[in-house]
Every structure is written in C-alpha cells, then in structure tokens.
Amino acid sequence: MPNKRVLWKTSTVIIFSTIIMAAILFITIVSVISSNLGKQIERVQQETFNQATEAVKDSIVSDPTLAGLDPFIRKGYKISVFNTTSKMFIYPKALSSWALDTESVNISLLEDSDGYLTTFTVGNKQVSVGYPVQLQAPEIKMIVLKSIPILLVMTLIIVAIIAGLYIFLYRNEKNKLNKLFHLTEKRVASETISETDFGIRVKDYAIIEKQVKALYDSLETSNNKMQQEMLLVKELERANVSLLQGITHEMKTPLMSTKLLIGQLQTQIPNNETIPSVLQQMTNLERLIHEVLFVTQKKYAGKEDKTIFLSTVLQQTLEKYDVLLDDKDIHVDLIIEAEFQMKFDIKLIEKILSNLLSNAIHYTNEHTIIRIVITADSFTMNNPITNVNIINMENIGKPFVSFGPSGGTGLGLYLIKMMLLNYPYELKTYINDSNMFVAKINKLE
C-alpha cells in the first residue's frame, strides 16, 4: 500500500518559508553586527582621532599662541603642551605650575575613562592629545545582544506583514481559480469559459487556468462525441430489438402451423416413431425463441432490481419442475448454509435458476440426486453426468455448441452468462473429480 502523501496548504507553505528565511536573515544580521560593528566603530573613532591630531599639530605650527586649540577642548579633546626648553607646561594655563612630571599629566588626561592618547613634538613643544571613549567593541557587542529581543519582535512583525500580504495575494488568486472550477462543475459551455477573463495575475496560477481551460475544452469535445456515438448505438439497439421482435413474431405463426400439422399426422399415423421427435424439436425451437426474446427485452427495456433471497426464489422455481423431477425419479438435495442476498431483477434470476434446473434435469440420469448448496455468497448446483469424455469444458456455454446427439444448443448457459454481465456475479462451470457437472454462481471479488 503506497504511503499517504502529506498535503500542504499554500498559506502554510508561505508562512513556513517566510519564517525560515526571516530566521536565517535575522541570525545572519545579528552575527554580522555583533562581530563587526564594534570594530567598525573603533576604526572610525581612531581615524577621526588621527585627523584631529593632525589638525592640532597644524594649529600649533600656524599659531604659536595656541589659541587655536580651544575649539578642540570644547569638542572633548584633552591637550597639553610642554615646553622642553623652559621645562614648563604652556597649555593649558592650569598646568603652568607643573614641572617635569609629564607622565602624570598624560595619565591625568584620561583618568576619568579609557580613550585614545598620542604624543608628538613640534619644535621645542611636546604635545599630548587625548580623547575619552565611552564605548569599546566588547561593550558595543553586549548592547547589540541586549537589543536582540526588540529586533526579534520587529522581525516577527515584518514577517507577519509580508506573510499576510503573500497569503492575501495567493488566496485572492485561488478564489479566481475557484470561480473557474465552479463553472466547470456547472457544465458551462467551453466557449463561455474560454472567453471569460478571471483576472489572474500570478504566473503559476495563470498556467493552471490555461491548462484547465484546455482540458475542459478537450473533455467537452470528447463528451459530445461520445454522446453522439451513444445515441447512434441506442438507435441501432432499438432497431435490433424491433427486428428481433419482428422476426420472432413472424416465426411463431409458421411454428404453430407446423406443430398443428405434425399433430394431425401423429393422429393419422399413431405408430410413427419420427413424429414425436420432430414435435420435441419444434417445442425446443419455440422455447429457444421465447428465451432469446425475453433476454433481449430485459436487456434493452431496463431492469427492475430489488433485494431478494435466492433460496426463496429457488424453492418457488423448483415447484414448477416437480413433474419433470418425478418423471425421472430425481431427488433434489437442497442445503442452505446461509442466506444468499442478491440485488437482482426477479424475472432474470427466475430465468437463470430455471435454465440451470432444466439443464440439470435434462442431462442427469434417472434415479439420481441433484445437490444444491447455498452459502452467503454463492450458489452451487451439482448433478451427475454421463459421457464425460465427449464434453469439452472450454466450449461449455458457447452458443450453438452441442455434445452428442442428445445435446442442446448451448444457449442455456450462454444466456445465463449474458444475464449476469450487468451484475457483480459470475457463472463458473466445471466437472469435479466425481464426474459431477458443477454450475456455480458467486459474487465477484
């Protein structure tokens, strides 16, 4: 048994795919930011500090009064200028009382926080420039990591909006396709469907629309062609039935006249041995015509199926054959193991049982037993036969195939098979090891 496939809704696929892509993007962005943002900020700050240092150097060279250093102080830079000749600090004025302890001064420039510090010499001036840094790379990384919940919430909101837009779009397109499917279910003309613009804009759905329209047009063409052929077949069937009815009707009159003439001959020549045989053959021919006409009428006029119990119909049919059974001293051994319920046309099943009983009585020797077994899903009739060697089982049930001079036309079993064709049952015939002819009707699996 093949494994059952898991079917996904379009909305589920969209949401699932969007969440996966958003998660990958979110993890990538957070990883990149947390690993590179701090370093990038440090690099920019270092470049800015280097540019400021060059600007301080240029200001000292161009303005010996050092007045140009004040704007840098206001921007947060800490600058000290030490005159190596006088061994005194000349900038800022607050450090003019300091002497040789330049290392202490440099440390004091950044005593409140970590930062950048550089020292260079311009003439006889030793310049120290410092700039405090509030955040370094590890601290920036921690800030980024702390902001992850906010980023996650924002990402989820964006994902929900995007997924909602996609779902709305595809659901709207699907509804347009549903309109197309609804028209096909209503059997609207193919030309009307082909000319209808459903306003589908998504390419995949537009391809489906095109394929459905083409398939519907092909099916409608095939259906119209099939209906025309069915009408033709029905006309031919009606013509066949009319022809068959006409032929059988026309045959009844000469058959009846022939039987009357033979009857008169038998009265005139009572000891003639040929006349009874001819009368019997005429009777068989009349019965054959009647059966063919009956089956044909039932086939084309329609069936009247209803639930029946086979044992009940069988017992009613057996009563019609009491005289024949008594005449050959044949006993019927009926075994009903369970009720065989069938949904069948009552007249057809009566004809089937009648043909089986008639064949069994005809081919069974006198003073023997016909055994019938009924189960919940089968009917089996066993009767002993003679001259088993001349019977070809491959030809049993074929029309107009006879075995021996006393054989029939073969139409009895053939008509039974024809009557079972439109039902979930089949007829099987064979000869068992005890030289018993077995006819079995059972349900198809």
Side-chain angles (χ1 to χ4, degrees):
M1 183 177 178
N3 295 329
K4 188 176 181 181
R5 292 185 300 168
V6 177
L7 302 178
W8 297 76
K9 292 183 178 180
T10 304
S11 57
T12 304
V13 174
I14 292 174
I15 293 173
F16 187 69
S17 302
T18 307
I19 290 175
I20 291 178
M21 290 188 292
I24 294 173
L25 181 62
F26 176 77
I27 293 172
T28 303
I29 292 175
V30 171
S31 300
V32 171
I33 290 176
S34 61
S35 59
N36 296 324
L37 183 60
K39 294 179 182 179
Q40 293 294 329
I41 292 176
E42 281 190 345
R43 183 180 61 79
V44 172
Q45 287 181 341
Q46 183 67 55
E47 291 177 355
T48 303
F49 179 74
N50 293 339
Q51 293 173 0
T53 300
E54 292 298 323
V56 168
K57 186 185 294 186
D58 294 339
S59 177
I60 293 174
V61 171
S62 60
D63 186 6
T65 63
L66 306 179
L69 300 180
D70 293 341
F72 293 96
I73 298 297
R74 287 192 292 270
K75 292 180 179 180
Y77 289 90
K78 294 185 178 182
I79 304 173
S80 66
V81 181
F82 182 75
N83 192 317
T84 56
T85 303
S86 62
K87 306 298 182 182
M88 295 292 291
F89 283 99
I90 58 176
Y91 190 87
K93 300 299 182 180
L95 297 178
S96 59
S97 60
W98 288 54
L100 298 173
D101 195 2
T102 56
E103 183 178 353
S104 298
V105 172
N106 290 339
I107 293 173
S108 68
L109 288 172
L110 298 172
E111 62 184 0
D112 295 332
S113 62
D114 296 330
Y116 300 102
L117 178 65
T118 185
T119 301
F120 56 88
T121 301
V122 179
N124 63 344
K125 300 180 182 66
Q126 183 177 343
V127 183
S128 296
V129 180
Y131 189 82
V133 178
Q134 300 297 326
L135 297 174
Q136 296 185 357
E139 296 170 329
I140 294 172
K141 182 176 180 179
M142 289 304 299
I143 292 174
V144 171
L145 293 176
K146 289 179 180 178
S147 64
I148 285 179
I150 298 175
L151 293 175
L152 181 61
V153 172
M154 293 179 64
T155 302
L156 290 175
I157 293 174
I158 295 173
V159 166
I161 294 173
I162 294 174
L165 290 174
Y166 272 113
I167 291 172
F168 173 78
L169 173 64
Y170 278 93
R171 185 170 292 171
N172 188 48
E173 297 296 288
K174 182 182 176 183
N175 289 336
K176 295 174 183 177
L177 274 182
N178 288 338
K179 294 179 181 178
L180 170 60
F181 297 150
H182 180 66
L183 290 179
T184 59
E185 289 174 357
K186 291 175 65 177
R187 308 272 182 132
V188 176
S190 176
E191 294 182 358
T192 304
I193 292 179
S194 299
E195 294 173 358
T196 302
D197 183 11
F198 295 92
I200 296 176
R201 297 293 176 263
V202 177
K203 184 177 180 180
D204 293 342
Y205 282 11
I207 293 174
I208 295 175
E209 176 194 12
K210 183 178 178 181
Q211 291 174 341
V212 170
K213 286 182 175 180
L215 179 61
Y216 185 77
D217 181 66
S218 176
L219 288 174
E220 187 178 57
T221 302
S222 300
N223 186 53
N224 291 337
K225 185 177 179 182
M226 189 187 310
Q227 286 181 348
Q228 291 175 358
E229 291 177 353
M230 288 177 64
L231 289 174
L232 178 60
V233 169
K234 287 183 178 180
E235 287 295 328
L236 292 175
E237 287 179 349
R238 281 194 287 268
N240 288 337
V241 173
S242 299
L243 177 62
L244 187 59
Q245 288 175 339
I247 291 174
T248 53
H249 178 74
E250 293 299 325
M251 288 179 68
K252 286 179 181 180
T253 302
L255 276 174
M256 183 63 66
S257 300
T258 304
K259 286 181 71 176
L260 290 173
L261 290 173
I262 293 173
Q264 291 176 3
L265 284 174
Q266 190 175 24
T267 303
Q268 295 173 4
I269 312 173
N271 297 325
N272 189 291
E273 297 179 356
T274 306
I275 293 176
S277 299
V278 175
L279 276 174
Q280 182 61 43
Q281 292 300 324
M282 295 297 293
T283 302
N284 291 341
L285 180 59
E286 189 177 17
R287 182 171 62 86
L288 178 60
I289 293 172
H290 176 74
E291 287 187 355
V292 171
L293 182 60
F294 171 81
V295 174
T296 305
Q297 287 174 337
K298 275 295 179 182
K299 181 178 179 181
Y300 296 119
K303 305 182 295 294
E304 298 176 2
D305 296 342
K306 64 179 181 178
T307 302
I308 59 173
F309 293 103
L310 190 62
S311 61
T312 303
V313 182
L314 175 62
Q315 288 171 347
Q316 294 171 353
T317 307
L318 281 171
E319 293 176 358
K320 301 176 182 178
Y321 287 88
D322 285 343
V323 175
L324 289 177
L325 290 169
D326 291 340
D327 185 55
K328 296 185 70 173
D329 191 22
I330 297 174
H331 176 68
V332 176
D333 184 12
L334 177 58
I335 302 173
I336 303 175
E337 296 181 0
E339 284 292 353
F340 189 5
Q341 248 183 314
M342 306 176 72
K343 193 171 182 62
F344 221 95
D345 185 291
I346 185 67
K347 297 210 175 284
L348 283 180
I349 197 64
E350 286 176 351
K351 179 59 67 176
I352 289 172
L353 294 177
S354 179
N355 280 5
L356 289 175
L357 283 169
S358 177
N359 282 347
I361 295 171
H362 178 73
Y363 292 106
T364 300
N365 293 330
E366 296 179 352
H367 316 298
T368 54
I369 297 175
I370 297 175
R371 177 171 284 107
I372 301 174
V373 180
I374 298 178
T375 66
D377 56 6
S378 68
F379 166 89
T380 307
M381 179 180 291
N382 302 268
N383 61 281
I385 58 173
T386 57
N387 299 325
V388 176
N389 296 330
I390 69 171
I391 297 178
N392 184 353
M393 290 305 300
E394 292 183 0
N395 292 327
I396 287 289
K398 292 183 178 179
F400 308 110
V401 175
S402 177
F403 303 102
S406 63
T409 61
L411 282 174
L413 293 177
Y414 173 75
L415 291 174
I416 291 175
K417 290 182 178 180
M418 292 300 101
M419 285 185 275
L420 290 173
L421 279 179
N422 295 326
Y423 294 93
Y425 306 99
E426 64 177 349
L427 172 68
K428 294 181 179 179
T429 54
Y430 57 92
I431 298 175
N432 63 16
D433 296 336
S434 302
N435 288 336
M436 301 280 285
F437 182 81
V438 181
K440 183 176 183 178
I441 298 175
N442 59 276
K443 289 183 179 179
L444 290 173
E445 297 181 357

